[in-house]
Amino acid sequence: EAKSPFTDRPVPGNGVTVSSWLAQDWRRADPAALGMRAALLADLEREVSARFGRIRALLITRSGRLVFERYFGGCGQDDSHLVASVTKSVISALVGIAIDRGFIRGTAQRVLDFFPDYAPAAHEHLKRRLTLKHLLTMTAGFQWRIGPRGHELFLDRLRRSRDWVTFILSLPVKDGALGTFQYNSAAAHLLSAIITRSTGRCAREFAAEHVFGPLGIDLPAADTPHGQSRAAVFSNRGVSWPTDPHGNSTGGWGLVLRPRDMARFGLLYLKRGRWNGAQIIPTRWVRDSVVPHTPGYGYLWWLRDVNGVFVFSAAGRGGQHIFCVPEHELVVVVASKPGERFRDPWPLLEDFVIPAVAR
């Protein structure tokens, strides 16, 4: 089982700190100067070109410096990518900030506290016990069909509903499922709606002020209001972070980011929420987010052990990843062309990136 190495000790960094230069651009460094083997990184580039045809961007930072940046398929550093469920990890950060600022009491707060207009049936006692922690850890127990086809069918039903929050809250909580991990996007969307209810601003607006603004990330302009067509909701045509019919930013997907901006967000977590001298995300929230609350999962972050090295990651469908490797001060970004068929990029991390760190 993956275990987080995050402690209260100072963040390592070889004397390199996150400073104002990151607000505009990345400081580059030769891999060898930061203890990485250039030959293995050259092998990595060849491997991507030969076997990972859908990858469009691959970035590696170490100690806050950019040591590897390659683009494929005609893409460049200014191209934005639909990062799918990486959005969930951003929602997690926003919940932590909302708690720290007093908008939300804590992870033990009941979900229905935020939706007093929804009245569960008398027999729905499990639904009354739902907390934010259940949503953050994917343990809410909603009756949500698993598997690619089942997940897609439920998402399409959600998309076509007039009130997404009511649709989700009306899903049965299965007996024996509360507290058991089951991945679904409904939980993250409820968290987005909770951000709206508690702060008075949708997740996009709240993130712009408290995360993206400080990190120097500018989202593409949003065209709102927009329709609820499949293309508008899932393909982000003309929309950088779509909303549901009631103005809640989609919580489980929908964010569009440039690869360097993905790296900024990963580095923010690697530095325990601190950026340019300011604490953007509470340190405790970052630590709590990347410890296993269920096997392999934190607060909307995936956790994994790679040959004894702890990795936490934000992951989106179709090969969108932000890998964070605290032990080696690495952030690795993969952005891919969306599609049903893609090759899992984890072997790139396991076989090339981590071994490239000289020991």
Side-chain angles (χ1 to χ4, degrees):
E1 179 179 311
K3 296 181 180 179
S4 169
F6 274 28
T7 67
D8 290 321
R9 62 183 171 81
V11 181
N14 293 339
V16 179
T17 58
V18 179
S19 54
S20 58
W21 54 264
L22 271 176
Q24 300 299 326
D25 205 351
W26 286 91
R27 183 176 297 171
R28 294 177 175 273
D30 183 82
L34 291 178
M36 298 191 73
R37 289 180 280 184
L40 263 179
L41 297 183
D43 291 342
L44 167 67
E45 183 172 0
R46 285 190 288 270
E47 178 74 2
V48 171
S49 297
R51 302 185 63 214
F52 290 81
R54 302 195 75 88
I55 287 182
R56 294 296 177 260
L58 177 59
L59 279 65
I60 303 171
T61 76
R62 190 171 197 211
S63 301
R65 295 190 179 184
L66 189 61
V67 297
F68 184 94
E69 182 178 30
R70 299 291 187 274
Y71 296 94
F72 307 88
C75 289
Q77 70 180 50
D78 293 327
D79 289 310
S80 297
H81 299 265
L82 179 63
V83 297
S85 288
V86 169
T87 307
K88 293 179 173 70
S89 301
V90 175
I91 290 290
S92 174
L94 300 183
V95 172
I97 294 169
I99 291 173
D100 183 60
R101 293 179 174 269
F103 294 110
I104 297 171
R105 292 200 297 272
T107 60
Q109 189 167 358
R110 301 293 176 91
V111 170
L112 293 184
D113 288 353
F114 299 93
F115 307 105
D117 45 336
Y118 178 80
H123 68 278
E124 293 183 305
H125 59 281
L126 291 176
K127 200 167 288 185
R128 292 183 173 87
R129 291 168 49 192
L130 284 176
T131 66
L132 268 68
K133 185 171 184 178
H134 288 123
L135 302 181
L136 287 162
T137 58
M138 295 287 183
T139 59
F142 287 124
Q143 185 172 306
W144 185 274
R145 289 179 61 181
I146 60 175
R149 183 59 179 162
H151 189 72
E152 289 301 311
L153 288 173
F154 264 70
L155 283 179
D156 204 55
R157 286 178 57 195
L158 175 68
R159 189 262 306 176
R160 289 184 283 108
S161 67
R162 295 182 178 180
D163 187 332
W164 290 21
V165 169
T166 298
F167 175 89
I168 296 168
L169 290 175
S170 298
L171 293 172
V173 176
K174 298 182 292 184
D175 288 335
L178 186 66
T180 300
F181 180 86
Q182 181 186 328
Y183 186 85
N184 71 67
S185 293
H189 191 70
L190 274 188
L191 287 170
S192 178
I194 286 169
I195 290 166
T196 305
R197 291 283 181 113
S198 61
T199 71
R201 286 171 290 173
C202 69
R204 177 195 170 96
E205 295 166 344
F206 195 67
E209 178 178 355
H210 296 291
V211 178
F212 296 146
L215 267 59
I217 296 174
D218 295 319
L219 294 183
D223 295 336
T224 55
H226 65 84
Q228 297 301 309
S229 70
R230 188 175 184 85
V233 173
F234 296 123
S235 300
N236 291 36
R237 293 179 182 171
V239 181
S240 65
W241 196 351
T243 62
D244 71 10
H246 286 76
N248 302 302
S249 305
T250 50
W253 69 94
L255 189 57
V256 171
L257 291 172
R258 292 179 290 266
R260 288 187 175 192
D261 293 336
M262 295 168 70
R264 283 181 169 88
F265 185 67
L267 185 58
L268 176 65
Y269 264 75
L270 202 66
K271 294 295 184 181
R272 297 176 177 84
R274 194 163 183 82
W275 193 270
N276 197 23
Q279 195 69 43
I280 306 301
I281 306 171
T283 300
R284 182 175 179 179
W285 183 261
V286 173
R287 291 201 310 267
D288 290 348
S289 297
V290 296
V291 296
H293 297 277
T294 59
Y297 206 70
Y299 286 166
L300 302 180
W301 285 87
W302 295 95
L303 317 176
R304 191 159 170 174
D305 184 284
V306 178
N307 299 322
V309 176
F310 172 72
V311 180
F312 62 91
S313 65
R317 183 178 179 181
Q320 326 307 325
H321 291 266
I322 305 172
F323 299 108
C324 299
V325 190
E327 180 179 336
H328 297 315
E329 304 169 59
L330 292 169
V331 176
V332 181
V333 165
V334 178
S336 304
K337 180 180 178 181
E340 294 294 331
R341 301 179 65 181
F342 66 96
R343 190 181 295 273
D344 185 353
W346 270 99
L348 299 177
L349 195 74
E350 298 173 358
D351 298 337
F352 298 93
V353 179
I354 292 178
V357 178
R359 294 182 178 271

